[in-house]
Amino acid sequence: MSNGVIDLISILDLEQIEVNLFRGNSPKTRWQRVFGGQVIGQAMVAACRTVEGRLPHSLHCYFILPGDPQIPIIYEVERLRDGKSYATRRITAIQHGNAIFSMIVSFHNDEETEFDHQDKMPDVPPPEKLTAEEVAKQPMFRDMPDFIRRYYESDRPIELRPVELGRYFGQKIDDGRIHVWIRTAAKLPDDPALHMCALAYASDFSLLDAIMARYGRTLFDKRMMPASLDHAMWFHRPFRADEWLLYAQDSPSAQGGRGLTRGQIFKPDGTLVASVAQEGSVRQRKL
């Protein structure tokens, strides 16, 4: 296994310290606050540990306070419902005695239905055409910013292959529609719940970029102060998070220091496996 997948598994491997009470740790990074996807993924793991025979179908969460990566996060699970078809859990993440994050996850028994439709997958280049070697053939790559080079060079838990590279050079995308191929850095165990938690972790990557793309800006701009406010996710069909998935994103609105983004996640064969929505704080620093 690569270091990336070991890191992800260790991030999602919570310690149970009491009934309905779990402890998660943060990886050693230079980040000053905990990555939002980490808290989502860990909270999902905590919820899944309290439910048997069902998988999550939706989650809704709020980021309340920034997480401190230097100390563990305590996850408290409340068992709100255990019905015939659905189970519901509320998870609160706690640090320094304060709630920093709150999430509700709903679980459902899989069932057959006569209703089965989905949106069509966007037509974009496959991930094989977006490797570092392929991108290096483009003239612009010689002047590629360091933060983009790190997409291809770092051993992060999630591999990212952006499709619209021009937006990192100031190109505006009027409708804010951007696409990123994602997958875990290496193979995961055959546990559907773990793959859902891994995708929930990855779902917070690059989502606010769809707002910036309308203006030819990026979240790496030091003038920006981006932050996730709330996050919702729906799981539609089976998938593996260690195989390439297309994350199609757009931003229908931004106003009042907040921006709304949406995402659809597809398998390479066109199967829609999940949908995401997030509102974020998008403010510019006062110089």
Side-chain angles (χ1 to χ4, degrees), residues 50-51 77-79 81-82 88-91 103-105:
T50 69
V51 178
V77 180
E78 297 178 68
R79 304 178 186 230
R81 180 190 183 193
D82 282 296
T88 309
R89 300 290 186 266
R90 179 190 291 126
I91 309 93
M103 179 166 80
I104 289 183
V105 182

Side-chain angles (χ1 to χ4, degrees), residues 11 24 56 74 78-79 83 89 110 112 127 130 186 220 261-262 282:
I11 289 168
I74 303 301
E78 297 178 68
R79 304 178 186 230
R89 300 290 186 266
D110 193 24
E112 296 294 329
L130 298 167
F220 298 98
T261 57
R262 303 176 296 195
V282 282

